[in-house]
Amino acid sequence: MQSFYTLFALIIGLIVPLQAAVNNQLKAVIGGSTPLAALVSFAVGMITLILMSLITGQKFSGLLALPKAEPWMLLGGIMGAMFVFGTTLIAPKLGAASMMALIIGGQVIASLLFDKFGWLGLPLREISWPRLLGAALIVVGVLLVNFGNQWINKST
């Protein structure tokens, strides 16, 4: 099962730049509005999730407990909207590779902190030297993807 989750995570990573490019094309069709393109993307996503819930037999009655949720627990929707809006806005400005490198760099840094401190109920995981080295290499990769050409052009 672990290999399934690993493959699924890789597939999600492969889809993010595709999603940004698709949403950017949608934005052009609907008059250049990034928020409206993100809105359409979320609406289609909501329909997809409703269908997935029906197909997998989820009990919608669980949603009746939603008023018991703390307001901060609903921030995931805002964060998701900002992600879709942001990638739709940024991909044509920075390019898919630069955008993704920066997103991945930010994710790795935040993830190490979540592992180290177990924030929001996530299990504690040790930040070992190999993990820190991996994170440092990702940061170096982010810098090379975003600034490597500038550095090479300055030195020649």
Side-chain angles (χ1 to χ4, degrees):
M1 198 61 163
Q2 187 69 23
S3 59
F4 167 77
Y5 293 127
T6 301
L7 180 61
F8 193 40
L10 178 64
I11 291 169
I12 291 169
L14 293 170
I15 289 173
V16 172
L18 174 62
Q19 178 191 31
V22 167
N23 286 341
N24 189 55
Q25 292 298 306
L26 175 63
K27 175 176 81 171
V29 169
I30 63 172
S33 173
T34 302
L36 291 179
L39 176 68
V40 171
S41 179
F42 261 76
V44 172
M46 183 178 74
I47 292 167
T48 302
L49 290 171
I50 289 169
L51 291 173
M52 288 173 60
S53 297
L54 290 169
I55 290 168
T56 60
Q58 302 301 307
K59 295 181 180 171
F60 284 86
S61 60
L63 294 175
L64 296 174
L66 197 52
K68 296 177 186 173
E70 297 291 330
W72 64 266
M73 294 176 179
L74 303 177
L75 292 176
I78 294 171
M79 292 176 213
M82 292 306 299
F83 182 80
V84 171
F85 171 83
T87 57
T88 304
L89 178 71
I90 295 168
K93 306 285 189 218
L94 296 182
S98 291
M99 175 193 73
M100 288 306 303
L102 290 162
I103 288 171
I104 292 166
Q107 289 173 331
V108 169
I109 292 167
S111 298
L112 285 172
L113 293 170
F114 272 85
D115 281 353
K116 170 73 175 163
F117 298 107
W119 291 337
L120 297 177
L122 289 177
L124 291 171
R125 289 194 165 73
E126 179 186 346
I127 298 182
S128 61
W129 284 108
R131 293 182 83 201
L132 282 174
L133 178 60
L137 290 172
I138 289 171
V139 169
V140 168
V142 168
L143 293 172
L144 288 173
V145 167
N146 282 282
F147 305 109
N149 286 338
Q150 293 171 12
W151 295 335
I152 290 172
N153 291 338
K154 283 184 181 179
S155 66
T156 57

